[in-house]
Amino acid sequence: MVVISCGTPEDKAAFLASEPPWFATPYFDGYNAVLVRLSELGQVTRDELAEVVEDAWLARAPKRLAKEWLAARQV
């Protein structure tokens, strides 16, 4: 299993309301995170996964670093 950070509780709810492979367990109640089984990761395209991982990183990264990353992507 892989834990994916979510920026907000609303982001977590959106993941859980969407199609699998995203899920949560009671252990993660109160945390902005969802789980995905590695065996089910093939249900997500590479581009979707890249976006999810980038959003998860941006949710946890230092603000300055996240701002620099986003600025560099605009070039």
Side-chain angles (χ1 to χ4, degrees), residues 7-67:
T8 66
E10 293 78 19
D11 292 340
K12 179 179 181 176
F15 269 110
L16 297 176
S18 70
E19 297 294 316
W22 320 109
F23 69 98
T25 64
Y27 182 82
F28 284 92
D29 287 351
Y31 293 98
N32 293 334
V34 294
L35 302 166
V36 61
R37 288 180 184 87
L38 289 175
S39 63
E40 296 177 0
L41 206 50
Q43 297 176 29
V44 180
T45 68
R46 184 193 178 287
D47 290 340
E48 290 170 327
L49 183 58
E51 182 180 347
V52 166
V53 170
E54 181 180 48
D55 289 347
W57 179 79
L58 288 169
R60 306 288 297 175
K63 299 298 180 205
R64 178 192 56 80
L65 190 57
K67 184 177 179 180

